[in-house]
Amino acid sequence: MSHRYSVILSNVGSCSDRYVTGGYAEPFSIAELFGRVAQIPQVTGVELVGTWHVTDKNVKELKGHLEEHGLKLVSIIPDHFGQMKWKYGSFAAKDPAIRNEAVAHTKEMIDAAIELGGDLISLWPGQDGYDYLFQADYMQERDWFAEGLREVCRYRPDVRISLEYKPKEPRTHSYLSTAAMSVLMAQETGTDNIGVTIDFGHALNAYETPAESVALLKRYGNRLFHVHMNDNFRHWDDDMIVGSVHTIETLEFFYWLKRTGYNGWLSIDQYPYREDGLAAVREGVNAMETFAALVDSMDQAEVEALIRNGRSPEITAYLRRMLLSVPNAAR
Amino acid sequence: MSHRYSVILSNVGSCSDRYVTGGYAEPFSIAELFGRVAQIPQVTGVELVGTWHVTDKNVKELKGHLEEHGLKLVSIIPDHFGQMKWKYGSFAAKDPAIRNEAVAHTKEMIDAAIELGGDLISLWPGQDGYDYLFQADYMQERDWFAEGLREVCRYRPDVRISLEYKPKEPRTHSYLSTAAMSVLMAQETGTDNIGVTIDFGHALNAYETPAESVALLKRYGNRLFHVHMNDNFRHWDDDMIVGSVHTIETLEFFYWLKRTGYNGWLSIDQYPYREDGLAAVREGVNAMETFAALVDSMDQAEVEALIRNGRSPEITAYLRRMLLSVPNAAR
Amino acid sequence: MSHRYSVILSNVGSCSDRYVTGGYAEPFSIAELFGRVAQIPQVTGVELVGTWHVTDKNVKELKGHLEEHGLKLVSIIPDHFGQMKWKYGSFAAKDPAIRNEAVAHTKEMIDAAIELGGDLISLWPGQDGYDYLFQADYMQERDWFAEGLREVCRYRPDVRISLEYKPKEPRTHSYLSTAAMSVLMAQETGTDNIGVTIDFGHALNAYETPAESVALLKRYGNRLFHVHMNDNFRHWDDDMIVGSVHTIETLEFFYWLKRTGYNGWLSIDQYPYREDGLAAVREGVNAMETFAALVDSMDQAEVEALIRNGRSPEITAYLRRMLLSVPNAAR
Amino acid sequence: MSHRYSVILSNVGSCSDRYVTGGYAEPFSIAELFGRVAQIPQVTGVELVGTWHVTDKNVKELKGHLEEHGLKLVSIIPDHFGQMKWKYGSFAAKDPAIRNEAVAHTKEMIDAAIELGGDLISLWPGQDGYDYLFQADYMQERDWFAEGLREVCRYRPDVRISLEYKPKEPRTHSYLSTAAMSVLMAQETGTDNIGVTIDFGHALNAYETPAESVALLKRYGNRLFHVHMNDNFRHWDDDMIVGSVHTIETLEFFYWLKRTGYNGWLSIDQYPYREDGLAAVREGVNAMETFAALVDSMDQAEVEALIRNGRSPEITAYLRRMLLSVPNAAR
């Protein structure tokens, strides 16, 4: 199955954490980031982040970068998380002025996406949630969230809004926490242009099996709009290189993308704290391509029989024979 | 707020685990278990488990026990988890004969509940899920689950079916894993007599804030039908005594039960591996009663202001003053 | 590298959990279990569990089974966890009579091991720990534990005692929780015949990287005496088939076994709740053998260079090329 | 029991995370931070962080701040984590030049501490560890770590070095991960001036019971040198206000501090992402003072009897009566 590969622009650059606030490497300009993306042959699209990359002043400039490198705009991720003002949330903030700003910024990013030839907004409301017990009105704040969401979904029915869930971070608890919660929130808008982004690592962190999350979104309204790829050790959103930890989960994920006919983009979402961002993305894309090829090489009837019978020793033996190929050895 | 307190009958007895399969204490007869429950003054109802307590032959006998001790039948929990035959699931089992048995047994338990004066089935599909990757057809098996659920919901519209979710155990992954997932599954039946059981410890294990789960179920269709109380260390369903670990989470949970007008039963669901079951349930009920009284003593306007403002130092100070009362000390 | 493979006898049988206390399959006699083990060609040794398999009356009979099938006794695991009487612990129990029984039983198992031609005791003090806060005297109980341990270590200096750590279960907190804790406890005995068993899944559950645990035990006194193999989803001791979840962790573990010159046994410790035990062990052993062969096929200089440089994109690319081999494809 | 309270200077200021790299509030100057600390009456000491607060040029200035506000220097935390150059570690870095810099910087901070009237270095090697599998030579790098540690311990035997452990973050795996691991590392130096800092939240994140960690460090060489206080939801180092989540764990921790005769400082280590730092520290200190007072109000003989007997219903009832005091109610 042939997939389209993309990357969040900042992934080829440097990044910070709460200790090294100035960054683990020297920063790159936006032009440099585009230049780096263009060095990865399989990547044909980019995702941009509001404020970080897209402002009300630089849309033309961005258009130039996209055209220069022959890259497609895959999505814009509005900035609902990256500035001091969002610290208590965006659509679900207690302050109505902030909620209005969140809606206004999202509409601007929708306009920008259209201008840049895109039709997808990947919405990650990372600051919407709470840290402390007794800190949140869990009903009222969800109402506000749904209101904001409805408004941006109705603004441009031809632009698709995709909700990216995550159980925690930066808040200790996020409202949009799981795949099932995302379906519930999407249903509330009453519009058709809303779906869900699976971030592979967020799913693992929520103790979801990513392949099952693909199936779930297929089953509840065919809502898988977008995919962010990376890996982690399950306990946190480590944003590591694709395939570096979970070989079988990643394989099963690609199997179910094919089985459910997913035809959206597969986008790298890694944080290269200590790696060269370009090298890390390059390898992440190589990994995605290889997983897809490996799935294509699998005998689908054989795999379906394994799933249908569910006998774990046979399943494990099948995976062993596929993954643990010892050179020049009979097994 | 005055609550009604109940207990799952086996909780006052002994229990096993995978190492001590013969039980951590001598077993009790059903008559003895009823006699022990009757010693806890605040408890006015019991929950019974299919096969363990309810068979097709002993319904009259059970009626006698209930009447003798003036106890109400709160719910029956059908046996979808306690016998070898359910090892691959109940409603979602790959074998159609097992799926049929699961439906038939549930209907029998509905009939038994009616005969015993009850109107609630608490349904815990603990074996429905999977252990291994590539072991399950996540779409087909959920279809089967929904079919079975629909059939039992339609069987007696006057009996309420309440879904008890849990992320894992006994399978490594359960289909009915979270509160949000339960809402999705309940919606699929298209009937009104379906809702959700919050097990406090299951919610913690799913990284839910139990009070938020109450709010969520209120908001999505007023679906909180039943509550199972216990405590744990978040990483596993330890089924410990109510209030023994999570003081503030339990307090907030009772606050939201009141705030959302919950008027169902509060049922103990503890596993007294090493405790005397009766003593453990007695203390669990004392704890529930005290949390409810503490909530009643709180100035609701003050708490609502804390929630509305969301300032954590003030919230923490409020809770400190309430919980950490030093005798004969000015603070 | 050529390893010796063994299995805990009960692994080829059936098992229970707290819901299905009667077992997920029909039980097997000890003779049948031996017969099943004998069907796995690579397995040349067995581990026996006190009480479950070894009593003061059946040692001769066990000797017969071992001889009949040409199996070696790899270790005895004394029963410190499988009976009601151990519910508050063994060496660290509050009751001195129980502590004495724990020591006496261990000595009996040492004697039995010698009689059966073994020289290793794998000691898993699963009930030593606590469930509730304020329930344990963490200093006194550790003193008792060390006393018991010292006594059994001194009993027969020619028999090696190997401590199997695990963070939790059946208690919510175990005293012997991690590899580092095991080293501390081993040091306290002041004898040479004490070391540590790594259970692969227990290490994962403790958020250890199993390969690092091998290195740690090498570094702190060359104390890796024994290995139990299985797999899980990190959050619990799921005791699944070797290699079914963690491909890369298992590979790195085998790499470090070789790198540190481990020459003990590799023993299967799986719980086949829903699988045929024999099929599951057979596949577990196949997996171990394949991981060992794969390690042997790796160019050690190349791997050491990867470790020395620590550049993650290169490491991930190396693993991708080894594990994700697409038939008939250039990569 | 009367404790001495302190705070890490930056805690009363603002902080960043990987999304809001510019900070969740406006930054404060060092002079302002001192002025804010001085507003908290119970706080009599501060901890300073290398580079962030202490440079080779500002020691005199810092001395002035301390004197002006009558504050004692409790410790300096050398910067082994806050600059780009430490991204692959400090004492355990693969690059020998970096290892030398780590030692040199630590010695400078020791000198600075002495000049500022302190005698404690709290050493948090947050970057020493690894992110990826196959990325680290777990033996060699621990050797390097031990070498660096030995050198700084020997530099000034009159200054105590205290190791702060943490299982992960900023690396996915830290070498100095648990209390037991810290004891092992401390033993290796062969000097007396080395001990351990318990960070309450790090202990929770390692699935330790913080009170047990106090006992452990007492038992293995009386090595508890320092305490950092905060709270979290167990899955991550959320650095929340003391007592905001774990009421009973915090109480038991203070009980064991008293029981083991701890007489060091209790220092706030919170990250006030969305709170006013001063208000959050003020409340954290109020909480510590109240927990200490509550422990003093407990009848020690009664508590010791509960611990000795270990009966959980009685323990839970005791805690309920102490913590859930309903005004004007008979219970």
Side-chain angles (χ1 to χ4, degrees):
Chain A
M1 186 178 190
S2 142
H3 287 292
R4 289 176 296 165
Y5 301 108
S6 54
V7 61
I8 300 178
L9 187 63
S10 44
N11 276 217
V12 293
S14 70
C15 55
S16 304
D17 63 21
R18 62 170 168 151
Y19 307 112
V20 183
T21 57
Y24 277 90
E26 294 305 324
F28 294 87
S29 70
I30 288 182
E32 288 170 329
L33 293 172
F34 271 99
R36 284 162 72 85
V37 169
Q39 296 174 43
I40 310 170
Q42 307 103 313
V43 169
T44 55
V46 293
E47 292 190 78
L48 304 175
V49 179
T51 308
W52 294 3
H53 310 133
V54 192
T55 67
D56 52 2
K57 299 199 177 88
N58 73 343
V59 176
K60 268 191 194 139
E61 193 187 317
L62 291 167
K63 196 161 194 169
H65 291 309
L66 289 167
E67 287 172 359
E68 181 192 341
H69 298 292
L71 291 165
K72 204 174 151 14
L73 177 78
V74 171
S75 93
I76 293 179
I77 302 166
D79 173 15
H80 291 141
F81 49 81
Q83 294 176 84
M84 201 188 289
K85 68 179 173 186
W86 307 123
K87 70 179 171 181
Y88 296 123
S90 62
F91 289 164
K94 291 174 191 286
D95 180 346
I98 298 294
R99 297 199 297 275
N100 287 339
E101 275 194 59
V103 169
H105 172 69
T106 311
K107 290 180 178 176
E108 282 167 28
M109 291 300 103
I110 291 173
D111 293 342
I114 293 170
E115 201 170 331
L116 294 169
D119 72 341
L120 182 71
I121 293 293
S122 192
L123 202 147
W124 176 53
Q127 302 280 5
D128 290 288
Y130 54 95
D131 296 313
Y132 286 83
L133 302 163
F134 279 106
Q135 188 178 34
D137 185 335
Y138 308 116
M139 295 182 71
Q140 174 66 77
E141 295 176 18
R142 282 179 185 274
D143 285 346
W144 288 332
F145 190 86
E147 268 174 44
L149 202 56
R150 232 175 340 250
E151 191 167 341
V152 301
C153 283
R154 287 178 184 161
Y155 178 62
R156 286 291 302 245
D158 54 335
V159 171
R160 293 171 305 142
I161 308 288
S162 191
L163 300 171
E164 181 171 350
Y165 62 93
K166 185 178 179 183
K168 54 176 170 287
E169 199 221 6
R171 309 306 297 264
T172 70
H173 295 80
S174 312
Y175 282 139
L176 190 66
S177 51
T178 64
M181 189 76 90
S182 306
V183 172
L184 285 179
M185 285 192 172
Q187 288 175 347
E188 276 192 81
T189 60
T191 62
D192 291 332
N193 61 332
I194 184 159
V196 180
T197 298
I198 293 180
D199 179 290
F200 189 83
H202 297 181
L204 287 176
N205 188 226
Y207 201 68
E208 296 180 1
T209 297
E212 187 187 4
S213 308
V214 172
L216 196 85
L217 295 176
K218 183 72 183 181
R219 196 171 176 282
Y220 287 105
N222 198 20
R223 291 190 189 271
L224 181 58
F225 277 15
H226 194 43
V227 169
H228 281 170
M229 284 305 297
N230 47 54
D231 211 335
N232 65 39
F233 283 96
R234 287 190 179 268
H235 296 237
W236 187 250
D237 183 30
D238 300 312
D239 278 332
M240 297 163 73
I241 295 172
V242 177
S244 58
V245 186
H246 289 94
T247 311
I248 301 176
E249 278 89 346
T250 308
L251 183 70
E252 194 195 20
F253 182 74
F254 274 80
Y255 185 82
W256 277 83
L257 287 179
K258 182 177 182 181
R259 194 183 196 265
T260 57
Y262 176 72
N263 60 9
W265 291 82
L266 297 179
S267 210
I268 294 286
D269 184 355
Q270 302 170 169
Y271 261 65
Y273 297 106
R274 294 169 188 81
E275 292 74 43
D276 173 65
L278 175 54
V281 171
R282 203 189 283 277
E283 172 52 26
V285 174
N286 285 343
M288 292 200 291
E289 206 179 34
T290 311
F291 277 106
L294 194 54
V295 164
D296 282 337
S297 79
M298 292 161 76
D299 178 337
Q300 196 162 346
E302 191 180 3
V303 179
E304 290 299 312
L306 289 170
I307 292 175
R308 202 165 46 245
N309 297 326
R311 286 192 285 263
S312 61
E314 292 173 17
I315 295 163
T316 307
Y318 173 86
L319 294 169
R320 171 174 50 82
R321 280 187 290 260
M322 182 165 39
L323 300 173
L324 305 182
S325 173
V326 183
N328 309 317
R331 268 170 305 155
Chain B
M1 187 177 190
S2 144
H3 287 291
R4 289 176 297 166
Y5 301 108
S6 54
V7 61
I8 299 178
L9 188 64
S10 44
N11 278 217
V12 293
S14 70
C15 55
S16 303
D17 63 22
R18 62 170 169 153
Y19 306 112
V20 184
T21 58
Y24 278 90
E26 295 304 325
F28 295 86
S29 71
I30 287 183
E32 286 170 329
L33 293 172
F34 270 101
R36 285 163 71 86
V37 168
Q39 295 173 44
I40 310 169
Q42 306 104 311
V43 169
T44 56
V46 292
E47 291 189 78
L48 303 175
V49 179
T51 309
W52 295 2
H53 310 133
V54 192
T55 68
D56 53 1
K57 298 199 176 89
N58 73 344
V59 175
K60 266 190 197 141
E61 194 187 315
L62 291 168
K63 195 161 194 171
H65 291 310
L66 288 167
E67 286 173 0
E68 180 191 343
H69 298 292
L71 290 166
K72 206 175 153 9
L73 177 78
V74 170
S75 94
I76 292 181
I77 302 167
D79 173 14
H80 291 141
F81 48 82
Q83 293 176 84
M84 202 188 287
K85 67 179 174 187
W86 307 124
K87 69 179 171 179
Y88 296 124
S90 62
F91 290 164
K94 290 174 192 288
D95 180 346
I98 298 294
R99 297 201 297 274
N100 287 340
E101 276 195 58
V103 168
H105 172 68
T106 311
K107 290 180 178 175
E108 280 167 29
M109 291 301 105
I110 291 174
D111 293 341
I114 293 170
E115 200 170 330
L116 293 170
D119 73 340
L120 182 71
I121 294 292
S122 191
L123 202 146
W124 176 54
Q127 302 279 6
D128 290 289
Y130 54 95
D131 296 314
Y132 285 82
L133 302 163
F134 279 105
Q135 189 178 32
D137 185 335
Y138 308 116
M139 295 183 70
Q140 174 65 77
E141 295 176 19
R142 283 179 184 274
D143 285 346
W144 287 331
F145 190 87
E147 270 174 42
L149 200 57
R150 231 174 343 249
E151 190 167 342
V152 301
C153 283
R154 286 177 184 163
Y155 178 62
R156 286 292 301 243
D158 54 335
V159 170
R160 293 171 304 143
I161 307 289
S162 191
L163 300 170
E164 182 170 350
Y165 62 92
K166 185 177 179 184
K168 54 175 169 288
E169 199 220 7
R171 310 305 298 264
T172 71
H173 294 81
S174 313
Y175 282 140
L176 191 66
S177 52
T178 64
M181 189 75 90
S182 307
V183 172
L184 285 179
M185 286 192 171
Q187 288 174 349
E188 276 192 81
T189 59
T191 62
D192 290 334
N193 60 333
I194 185 159
V196 180
T197 298
I198 293 180
D199 180 290
F200 189 83
H202 298 181
L204 287 176
N205 188 225
Y207 201 69
E208 295 180 1
T209 298
E212 187 187 3
S213 307
V214 172
L216 197 83
L217 295 175
K218 183 73 183 180
R219 196 171 175 282
Y220 287 104
N222 198 20
R223 291 191 190 268
L224 181 57
F225 276 15
H226 193 44
V227 169
H228 282 171
M229 284 303 298
N230 47 54
D231 211 337
N232 64 40
F233 282 98
R234 288 191 180 267
H235 296 237
W236 187 250
D237 183 30
D238 300 311
D239 278 333
M240 298 164 72
I241 297 173
V242 177
S244 58
V245 185
H246 288 95
T247 312
I248 300 175
E249 278 89 345
T250 309
L251 183 71
E252 194 195 20
F253 182 74
F254 274 81
Y255 185 82
W256 276 83
L257 287 179
K258 182 177 181 181
R259 194 182 196 264
T260 57
Y262 176 71
N263 60 10
W265 291 82
L266 297 178
S267 211
I268 293 288
D269 184 354
Q270 302 170 169
Y271 261 65
Y273 297 105
R274 295 169 186 80
E275 292 73 41
D276 174 66
L278 176 54
V281 171
R282 203 190 282 279
E283 172 51 26
V285 174
N286 285 343
M288 291 200 292
E289 204 179 36
T290 311
F291 276 107
L294 194 55
V295 164
D296 282 339
S297 80
M298 291 161 76
D299 178 336
Q300 196 163 345
E302 193 179 1
V303 179
E304 290 299 313
L306 289 170
I307 292 174
R308 203 165 45 245
N309 296 325
R311 286 191 286 263
S312 61
E314 292 174 15
I315 294 163
T316 307
Y318 173 85
L319 294 169
R320 170 174 51 82
R321 280 187 290 260
M322 182 166 39
L323 299 172
L324 305 182
S325 172
V326 183
N328 308 317
R331 270 170 303 158
Chain C
M1 185 178 192
S2 145
H3 287 291
R4 289 176 297 166
Y5 302 107
S6 55
V7 61
I8 300 178
L9 187 63
S10 44
N11 277 217
V12 293
S14 70
C15 55
S16 302
D17 64 20
R18 62 169 168 153
Y19 306 113
V20 184
T21 58
Y24 277 91
E26 294 306 324
F28 295 87
S29 71
I30 287 182
E32 288 171 327
L33 293 172
F34 270 100
R36 285 162 72 83
V37 169
Q39 297 173 43
I40 310 170
Q42 307 103 312
V43 169
T44 55
V46 292
E47 291 189 79
L48 303 176
V49 179
T51 310
W52 294 3
H53 310 132
V54 192
T55 66
D56 51 2
K57 299 199 177 86
N58 73 342
V59 176
K60 270 189 196 142
E61 193 186 316
L62 291 168
K63 197 161 193 170
H65 292 309
L66 289 167
E67 287 171 0
E68 180 191 344
H69 297 293
L71 291 166
K72 205 175 150 15
L73 177 78
V74 171
S75 93
I76 293 181
I77 302 167
D79 173 14
H80 292 142
F81 48 81
Q83 293 176 85
M84 201 189 287
K85 67 179 173 186
W86 307 124
K87 69 179 170 179
Y88 296 124
S90 63
F91 290 163
K94 291 173 192 288
D95 180 346
I98 298 294
R99 297 200 297 273
N100 288 339
E101 277 195 58
V103 169
H105 172 68
T106 311
K107 290 180 178 175
E108 281 166 30
M109 291 300 103
I110 291 173
D111 293 341
I114 292 170
E115 200 170 330
L116 294 169
D119 73 340
L120 182 72
I121 294 293
S122 192
L123 202 146
W124 176 53
Q127 301 279 6
D128 290 287
Y130 54 94
D131 297 314
Y132 285 83
L133 302 163
F134 280 104
Q135 189 179 32
D137 185 335
Y138 307 116
M139 295 182 72
Q140 173 66 77
E141 295 176 19
R142 283 179 184 273
D143 285 346
W144 288 331
F145 189 87
E147 269 174 43
L149 201 56
R150 234 177 337 251
E151 190 167 342
V152 301
C153 283
R154 287 177 184 164
Y155 178 63
R156 286 291 301 244
D158 54 335
V159 170
R160 292 170 306 141
I161 307 288
S162 191
L163 300 171
E164 181 170 351
Y165 62 91
K166 185 179 178 183
K168 54 175 170 284
E169 199 218 8
R171 310 306 297 264
T172 70
H173 294 79
S174 312
Y175 282 138
L176 190 66
S177 52
T178 64
M181 189 75 90
S182 307
V183 172
L184 285 179
M185 285 191 172
Q187 288 174 348
E188 276 193 82
T189 58
T191 62
D192 290 333
N193 61 333
I194 185 160
V196 179
T197 298
I198 292 181
D199 180 289
F200 189 84
H202 298 181
L204 286 176
N205 188 227
Y207 201 68
E208 295 179 2
T209 298
E212 187 188 3
S213 307
V214 172
L216 197 83
L217 295 175
K218 183 72 182 180
R219 196 171 176 283
Y220 287 105
N222 198 19
R223 292 192 189 268
L224 182 58
F225 276 16
H226 194 44
V227 169
H228 282 170
M229 284 303 298
N230 47 53
D231 211 336
N232 65 38
F233 283 98
R234 288 190 178 268
H235 296 239
W236 187 250
D237 183 29
D238 300 313
D239 278 332
M240 297 164 73
I241 297 173
V242 177
S244 58
V245 186
H246 288 95
T247 311
I248 301 175
E249 279 89 346
T250 308
L251 183 70
E252 193 195 20
F253 182 74
F254 275 80
Y255 185 82
W256 276 83
L257 288 179
K258 182 178 182 182
R259 194 182 197 267
T260 58
Y262 175 72
N263 60 9
W265 292 82
L266 297 178
S267 210
I268 293 288
D269 184 355
Q270 302 170 169
Y271 261 65
Y273 297 105
R274 295 169 188 79
E275 292 74 43
D276 173 66
L278 174 54
V281 171
R282 203 190 283 278
E283 172 52 26
V285 174
N286 285 342
M288 291 200 292
E289 206 179 33
T290 311
F291 276 106
L294 194 54
V295 164
D296 282 337
S297 79
M298 291 161 77
D299 177 338
Q300 197 162 344
E302 192 179 2
V303 180
E304 290 299 312
L306 289 170
I307 292 175
R308 202 165 45 245
N309 296 325
R311 286 191 286 263
S312 62
E314 291 174 16
I315 294 163
T316 307
Y318 173 85
L319 294 169
R320 170 173 52 82
R321 280 188 291 260
M322 181 166 39
L323 300 173
L324 305 181
S325 172
V326 182
N328 309 316
R331 271 170 302 156
Chain D
M1 185 176 191
S2 143
H3 287 291
R4 288 176 298 165
Y5 301 108
S6 55
V7 61
I8 299 178
L9 187 64
S10 44
N11 278 217
V12 294
S14 69
C15 55
S16 302
D17 63 22
R18 63 171 168 154
Y19 306 113
V20 184
T21 57
Y24 277 91
E26 295 304 325
F28 294 87
S29 71
I30 288 183
E32 287 170 329
L33 293 172
F34 270 100
R36 284 162 72 85
V37 169
Q39 296 174 43
I40 311 170
Q42 307 104 311
V43 170
T44 56
V46 292
E47 291 189 79
L48 303 176
V49 180
T51 309
W52 293 3
H53 309 132
V54 191
T55 67
D56 52 3
K57 299 199 176 88
N58 73 344
V59 176
K60 268 191 195 140
E61 194 187 316
L62 291 168
K63 197 161 194 171
H65 292 311
L66 288 167
E67 287 172 359
E68 180 191 343
H69 297 294
L71 291 166
K72 204 172 153 14
L73 178 79
V74 170
S75 93
I76 292 180
I77 302 167
D79 173 15
H80 292 141
F81 48 82
Q83 293 176 83
M84 200 189 288
K85 67 178 173 188
W86 307 124
K87 69 178 171 179
Y88 295 124
S90 62
F91 289 164
K94 291 174 193 286
D95 180 346
I98 298 294
R99 297 201 297 275
N100 288 340
E101 276 196 58
V103 169
H105 173 68
T106 311
K107 290 180 178 176
E108 281 167 27
M109 291 300 105
I110 291 173
D111 293 341
I114 293 170
E115 199 169 331
L116 293 169
D119 72 342
L120 182 72
I121 294 293
S122 191
L123 202 146
W124 176 54
Q127 302 279 6
D128 290 288
Y130 54 94
D131 296 314
Y132 285 82
L133 302 162
F134 280 103
Q135 189 177 32
D137 185 336
Y138 308 118
M139 295 183 71
Q140 173 65 77
E141 295 177 19
R142 283 179 184 274
D143 284 346
W144 288 331
F145 190 86
E147 269 174 44
L149 201 56
R150 233 175 341 249
E151 189 166 343
V152 301
C153 283
R154 287 176 185 165
Y155 178 62
R156 285 293 300 244
D158 54 334
V159 170
R160 293 172 304 144
I161 308 288
S162 191
L163 299 171
E164 182 170 350
Y165 62 92
K166 185 179 179 182
K168 55 174 169 286
E169 198 219 9
R171 309 308 296 264
T172 70
H173 294 79
S174 312
Y175 283 139
L176 190 66
S177 52
T178 64
M181 189 76 90
S182 307
V183 173
L184 285 178
M185 286 191 171
Q187 289 175 347
E188 277 192 80
T189 59
T191 62
D192 290 333
N193 61 333
I194 185 160
V196 180
T197 298
I198 293 180
D199 180 291
F200 189 84
H202 297 180
L204 286 176
N205 189 226
Y207 201 67
E208 296 179 2
T209 298
E212 187 186 4
S213 307
V214 172
L216 197 83
L217 295 175
K218 183 72 183 180
R219 196 171 174 283
Y220 287 104
N222 198 19
R223 292 192 189 269
L224 181 58
F225 276 16
H226 194 43
V227 169
H228 281 170
M229 285 303 300
N230 48 55
D231 211 337
N232 65 40
F233 282 97
R234 287 190 179 269
H235 296 238
W236 187 251
D237 184 31
D238 301 311
D239 279 332
M240 298 164 73
I241 296 172
V242 177
S244 57
V245 185
H246 289 94
T247 311
I248 300 175
E249 279 89 345
T250 309
L251 184 70
E252 194 195 20
F253 181 74
F254 274 81
Y255 185 81
W256 276 84
L257 288 179
K258 183 178 181 180
R259 194 182 196 266
T260 56
Y262 176 71
N263 60 9
W265 290 82
L266 298 177
S267 210
I268 293 287
D269 184 355
Q270 302 170 170
Y271 260 65
Y273 297 105
R274 295 169 187 81
E275 292 73 43
D276 173 66
L278 174 53
V281 171
R282 203 191 282 278
E283 173 51 25
V285 174
N286 285 343
M288 291 201 291
E289 204 179 35
T290 310
F291 276 106
L294 194 54
V295 164
D296 283 337
S297 79
M298 291 162 77
D299 178 338
Q300 198 163 343
E302 192 179 3
V303 180
E304 290 298 312
L306 289 170
I307 291 174
R308 203 164 44 246
N309 297 326
R311 286 191 286 264
S312 61
E314 291 173 16
I315 295 163
T316 308
Y318 173 86
L319 293 169
R320 170 175 51 82
R321 280 188 291 262
M322 182 166 41
L323 299 173
L324 305 182
S325 171
V326 182
N328 309 315
R331 270 172 302 156

